[in-house]
Amino acid sequence: MDKEYISGEGGHGFAAQSANTGHYAQLNTYDYLADVPGNNEVTDLVEVQFKNTRKAYYHNCDNLPLKKGDIVAVESNPGHDIGVVSLTGKLVPLQMKHANLKPNEEIRKIYRLARENDMERYAEAKAREHDTMIQSRQIAKDLGLEMKIGDVEYQGDGNKAIFYYIADGRVDFRQLIKVLADVFHVRIEMKQIGARQEAGRIGGFGPCGRELCCAGWMKNFQSVGTGAARFQDLSLNPQKLAGQCAKLKCCMNYEVDQYVEASRKLPPRDVILYTQDSEYYIFKADILSGQVTYSTDKRNASNLVTISAERANAIIEMNKRGEKPVSLEEGGRKEPERPVDLATQEDLNRFDKKKHKKKHKNRSRHNDNRPE
């Protein structure tokens, strides 16, 4: 089915029938109550989606028959704005609670379904965004401001423009606002975004080969520290740990809790294991498999022995009682179980073998047609 995009370019916009497409799919909320009779009559609150991961909530005071994907004109200050309905019904108050909106916060209303003249003004305003961004960057550079204007969003009626910028520190842009207002003759609003939000807005692919999480589904960013890398025994290499936003990769937080839980079962790294013939120092540990490798040399790999974390903890308890086992291995030396490589179980060249065509033998049929 063909989709009509009303905002953005290159798949960055919203579709009339499918409200969330392209890089804004992370804003989509699955409405599992959509088929429930009377769901839209529970509340008059409606969630409306705009450009650059911006959402807002409005009252449907006129009881318009709205559904997900409808293009509406909503109240703004000043004038009106154009957005796409992204959610209706009982889930909207829950989304407002999740967004930490204050109860006394003013909620504006929906005027109407967008008309043809509304869409014409909307298209004219959107057509000015790229040129405005390029020109505003030059203005900020001429004023000597250490900031980067990443994007510009015009209001649906063209009376207001939001300038999204990135800056490392605090920026005094009062003079910039005056110059921009004189040049573009609109109301100016400056909104600072972080490097992660900028990377999500631009989009791209990560080293895993998949679309960036911030561009695909993430909308809330949690701080990522180097402790997450240490818990997972990752090399503290900034080139490998940093994403396209030059910050630590968000995916480092995905499995850190599992690593922390598994690391609690490992023996302490500073504890020495004593046997009847030598002393062993921890050399490395496989956190998830629970295997610990010990060396007789504190700094180099010498006489490496790999045992389970349970065996290491048992030897520590024996040493505390003044006992020393004969060796680290329990019941003689055992090779640690290695993970099975599924690729070696079958011949990968089997796909290159040519299939021989089977010759159909119809001798029996020919024999039946022979004269007796």
Side-chain angles (χ1 to χ4, degrees), residues 224-234 248 252-253 256 259:
V224 184
T226 55
R230 293 190 178 94
F231 277 118
Q232 300 175 65
D233 278 344
L234 298 176
L248 293 177
M252 291 173 54
N253 279 346
V256 65
Y259 275 88

Side-chain angles (χ1 to χ4, degrees), residues 150-310:
D151 197 6
V152 177
E153 178 186 0
Y154 269 96
Q155 194 170 272
D157 56 2
N159 294 328
K160 179 183 176 181
I162 302 176
F163 290 78
Y164 296 89
Y165 71 95
I166 304 173
D168 295 332
R170 187 175 179 274
V171 179
D172 185 5
F173 45 73
R174 289 176 293 182
Q175 183 62 28
L176 175 64
I177 292 178
K178 295 180 181 179
V179 176
L180 294 178
D182 293 338
V183 173
F184 301 111
H185 306 287
V186 293
R187 184 172 179 177
I188 306 298
E189 178 181 345
M190 305 297 297
K191 187 173 182 180
Q192 186 174 7
I193 59 176
R196 299 182 189 274
Q197 288 85 350
E198 175 71 2
R201 187 190 66 82
I202 297 175
F205 294 90
C208 59
R210 304 187 65 179
E211 184 184 22
L212 296 178
C213 296
C214 54
W217 59 272
M218 287 185 66
K219 58 182 179 180
N220 297 322
F221 298 94
Q222 298 180 356
S223 60
V224 184
T226 55
R230 293 190 178 94
F231 277 118
Q232 300 175 65
D233 278 344
L234 298 176
S235 176
L236 298 180
N237 186 349
Q239 295 181 351
K240 293 184 177 181
L241 299 182
Q244 295 188 11
C245 58
K247 304 291 184 180
L248 293 177
K249 294 178 181 177
C250 296
C251 56
M252 291 173 54
N253 279 346
Y254 296 168
E255 300 176 354
V256 65
D257 292 338
Q258 184 178 0
Y259 275 88
V260 171
E261 184 67 24
S263 63
R264 294 174 181 173
K265 302 178 181 179
L266 299 179
R269 290 182 173 271
D270 56 345
V271 175
I272 304 174
L273 301 187
Y274 297 93
T275 61
Q276 295 181 5
D277 57 351
S278 183
E279 299 177 357
Y280 288 89
Y281 304 88
I282 191 169
F283 181 72
K284 65 178 181 178
D286 191 339
I287 300 176
L288 296 183
S289 65
Q291 299 290 327
V292 187
T293 301
Y294 284 89
S295 171
T296 55
D297 194 319
K298 191 174 183 179
R299 294 179 175 83
N300 300 318
S302 177
N303 301 322
L304 297 180
V305 179
T306 302
I307 59 176
S308 65
E310 292 79 5

Side-chain angles (χ1 to χ4, degrees), residues 4 31 65 70 79 92 94 121 128 139 145 171 174 213 239 256 264 276 307 312 369-370:
E4 179 185 1
D31 189 2
D70 286 340
V92 178
L94 298 179
R121 296 183 62 183
R128 298 161 53 190
I139 295 174
L145 299 178
V171 179
R174 289 176 293 182
C213 296
Q239 295 181 351
V256 65
R264 294 174 181 173
Q276 295 181 5
I307 59 176
N369 295 333
R370 290 180 179 177

Side-chain angles (χ1 to χ4, degrees), residues 313-368:
N313 290 325
I315 295 176
I316 292 175
E317 294 298 327
M318 294 176 61
N319 294 157
K320 289 181 179 180
R321 297 193 301 265
E323 302 176 3
K324 295 182 180 180
V326 178
S327 63
L328 293 186
E329 297 87 353
E330 185 177 4
R333 184 178 179 85
K334 296 181 180 179
E335 290 292 334
E337 296 183 0
R338 299 181 180 274
V340 179
D341 189 359
L342 298 179
T344 60
Q345 292 183 355
E346 293 188 34
D347 185 11
L348 294 180
N349 297 326
R350 67 186 185 277
F351 300 107
D352 299 332
K353 297 178 181 179
K354 296 182 179 180
K355 295 183 179 180
H356 298 283
K357 295 183 180 180
K358 296 182 180 180
K359 296 181 179 180
H360 297 282
K361 298 181 179 180
N362 299 326
R363 294 181 179 178
S364 59
R365 185 179 63 181
H366 293 301
N367 293 335
D368 294 341

